[in-house]
Amino acid sequence: MTETDYYWIVLCKNHGFHRRQNLFSPHKIALGETDAYACPPYLGGHFKVKCDDCGEEYSYKPQDVLRFEIAPPESFIAHPLFSDLPLSQEKRPA
């Protein structure tokens, strides 16, 4: 069984690129680790995110941020707006 964790995510807006890979599931960009109960962080307005897959950068609104349960991304680095959150600072056990 694969271990999963909760992450704050946005859905990549480069739909044309990602549809070729998976027609039925938009690409999720992990922003920061969270848990099943935390409130969304206050972001104060639009912010930019670069996709870890297609490399494109898009602007997102705070309401675009979703909580999603996914397997921990390889070599995950939290987005700067999410790096100060308590769970993003914890070291994952080896």
Side-chain angles (χ1 to χ4, degrees), residues 33-71:
E33 195 169 359
T34 188
D35 60 29
Y37 308 103
C39 293
Y42 175 75
L43 299 171
H46 288 78
F47 60 99
K48 292 189 178 208
V49 176
K50 185 174 182 177
C51 181
D52 56 340
D53 190 27
C54 70
E56 294 294 324
E57 184 175 68
Y58 293 97
S59 180
Y60 292 88
K61 299 177 280 189
Q63 56 263 41
D64 293 330
V65 176
L66 306 168
R67 178 190 351 258
F68 204 79
E69 188 176 12
I70 57 176

